[in-house]
Amino acid sequence: MSGKYLVTGGAGYVGSVVAQHLIEAGHEVVVLDNLTTGFREGVPEGASFIEGDIRDAAKWVDSTFDGVLHFAAFSQVGESVAKPEKYWDNNVGGTMALLGAMREAGVRRLVFSSTAATYGEPRQVPIPESAPTSPTSPYGASKLAVDHMITGEATAHGLGAVSLRYFNVAGAYGRYGERHDPESHLIPLVLQVAQGRREAISVYGDDYPTLDGTCVRDYIHVADLAEAHLLALEAAAPGEHLICNLGNGNGFSVREVVETVRRVTGHPVPEVVAPRREGDPAVLVASADAAREKLGWSPSRADLAGIVSDAWQFTQQRAN
Ligand SMILES: NC(=O)c1ccc[n+]([C@@H]2O[C@H](COP(=O)([O-])OP(=O)(O)OC[C@H]3O[C@@H](n4cnc5c(N)ncnc54)[C@H](O)[C@@H]3O)[C@@H](O)[C@H]2O)c1
Ligand SMILES: O=c1ccn([C@@H]2O[C@H](COP(=O)(O)OP(=O)(O)O[C@H]3O[C@H](CO)[C@H](O)[C@H](O)[C@H]3O)[C@@H](O)[C@H]2O)c(=O)[nH]1
């Protein structure tokens, strides 16, 4: 059934891809974004746009909405260590304002962008949702605090909510792709080297206890991730808060990513070994059994070369 949804952060990378999927599924979409890290061109044609802040959500959230998909946040792990207050204010304060506005207006359905960073250094891999949560950064802590707030809102006030804990989001969907400034994520950075816009990729540490010594991550295609959001909207049941990891369950090392970029683009990618980045766990791989069982989700774009190829096409479009 088609509905009307508010997408906070819909001018950003993941929010724009999900907004586009909602539109393609026949839903009405209103994007609320203050454009701090997003771009006006990221808002899909077909969506209404409000340039505003989630901390003022009460101005725009009304009973005509069937639900909210909440992406708006700051998400740089390193910055969060240097400026934790910025993360508590936006991620936690902003979500508190949003939840209050939803409660007032009687909007009862929420899908929230949580993160693998809520777990911290894993004791078990693949990581299930039942794993201990011990975030190693204020970013992860702010997202975990929001997950707890949402559980309370579901229990006390009947909100139906799903938190999706993304692992490493990558790839692109047509004209919607990753565009952070400054960019800190591995795949877009390696693609910039392949384009000749950067001299070399710095490999952060080659002495981890992994097969080739570099960190292993679970890369998930942004379009597979978007499909999970639409399923999560259907699964959200009043008074319940579901938490599901989203990943493919396969790990790739930094060196494997670099090698895949060389193969897909046909360009040389010089690499230099740099010191470890603080707070990086050696291996992060998801158990996504809950998303399969509770949402009926299954990723169909798990191949790393395909993910890199879609990201490369997006990067090339922007360069031309
Ligand atoms: N990209 C990833 O690999 C990844 C992994 C795990 C979780 N997440 C989460 O997914 C969400 C989206 O990430 P992304 O990579 O698309 O980030 P992004 O920076 O591209 O998008 C975030 C959007 O939110 C907007 N925004 C920020 N604060 C706002 C506010 N107070 N009011 C209104 N708009 C605001 C920004 O302008 C931006 O358009 C974030 O919540 C992030 O924490 C992302
Ligand atoms: O120039 C670079 C950039 C990254 N890396 C390495 O590549 C891997 C992936 O790094 P990203 O920065 O692309 O992604 P993260 O794994 O750090 O971060 C992701 O997972 C986090 C959870 O730990 C958060 O959810 C975050 O939002 C999400 O992007 C890491 O081992 C990192 O050390 C490099 O070697 N060189």
Side-chain angles (χ1 to χ4, degrees):
M1 216 171 58
S2 64
K4 178 178 173 185
Y5 294 106
L6 182 71
V7 178
T8 75
Y13 170 39
V14 181
S16 65
V17 174
V18 175
Q20 178 61 20
H21 276 74
L22 286 166
I23 291 166
E24 287 173 15
H27 299 298
E28 182 181 344
V29 171
V30 179
V31 166
L32 171 62
D33 199 301
N34 64 5
L35 302 180
T36 45
T37 60
F39 302 88
R40 179 65 184 88
E41 317 85 84
V43 178
E45 282 164 26
S48 313
F49 177 58
I50 300 167
E51 185 173 343
D53 197 292
I54 51 169
R55 285 163 286 205
D56 302 320
K59 286 188 194 163
W60 304 290
V61 177
D62 62 31
S63 62
T64 64
F65 287 102
D66 294 294
V68 175
L69 295 102
H70 178 33
F71 302 92
F74 292 138
S75 59
Q76 299 257 356
V77 174
E79 183 192 57
S80 79
V81 176
K83 297 178 186 166
E85 66 286 0
K86 185 173 166 182
Y87 282 70
W88 293 111
D89 179 32
N90 199 32
N91 298 1
V92 178
T95 306
M96 208 146 102
L98 180 67
L99 289 176
M102 290 175 67
R103 196 185 317 122
E104 279 295 303
V107 180
R108 314 305 293 268
R109 204 176 283 224
L110 175 74
V111 178
F112 170 62
S113 302
S114 188
T115 167
T118 52
Y119 296 113
E121 188 72 49
R123 289 184 213 160
Q124 181 189 348
V125 180
I127 306 172
E129 291 80 0
S130 56
T133 42
S134 185
T136 51
S137 69
Y139 165 64
S142 73
K143 289 280 175 170
L144 182 62
V146 170
D147 277 339
H148 288 311
M149 274 163 54
I150 293 172
T151 302
E153 197 67 24
T155 310
H157 303 299
L159 182 72
V162 181
S163 287
L164 297 173
R165 289 189 173 158
Y166 315 160
F167 280 61
N168 286 62
V169 190
Y173 185 65
R175 68 180 196 85
Y176 306 100
E178 192 161 6
R179 199 178 155 193
H180 296 121
D181 187 18
E183 189 52 75
S184 64
H185 288 150
L186 180 65
I187 291 180
L189 287 173
V190 184
L191 291 174
Q192 289 179 11
V193 179
Q195 275 186 318
R197 290 167 54 205
R198 269 173 200 270
E199 274 184 21
I201 186 72
S202 298
V203 174
Y204 295 148
D206 67 350
D207 56 353
Y208 283 96
T210 59
L211 278 180
D212 65 14
T214 66
C215 286
V216 169
R217 294 290 181 272
D218 185 341
Y219 295 90
I220 172 171
H221 197 294
V222 69
D224 280 339
L225 193 86
E227 284 166 11
H229 287 72
L230 272 70
L231 293 168
L233 274 178
E234 285 171 31
E240 277 183 25
H241 180 204
L242 263 179
I243 297 181
C244 299
N245 290 338
L246 291 180
N248 287 308
N250 299 322
F252 293 97
S253 72
V254 173
R255 285 231 160 90
E256 285 175 309
V257 170
V258 174
E259 196 44 49
T260 305
V261 170
R262 290 187 183 117
R263 209 158 17 91
V264 166
T265 65
H267 290 287
V269 178
E271 59 181 74
V272 291
V273 176
R276 289 182 177 199
R277 192 171 63 179
E278 209 184 318
D280 268 346
V283 180
L284 283 177
V285 174
S287 159
D289 292 349
R292 289 174 196 274
E293 284 159 23
K294 296 180 179 159
L295 308 181
W297 177 75
S298 60
S300 57
R301 304 165 186 87
D303 172 46
L304 183 63
I307 294 175
V308 167
S309 172
D310 287 352
W312 176 238
Q313 276 181 34
F314 172 76
T315 309
Q316 291 289 80
Q317 273 169 34
R318 287 205 51 233
N320 293 328

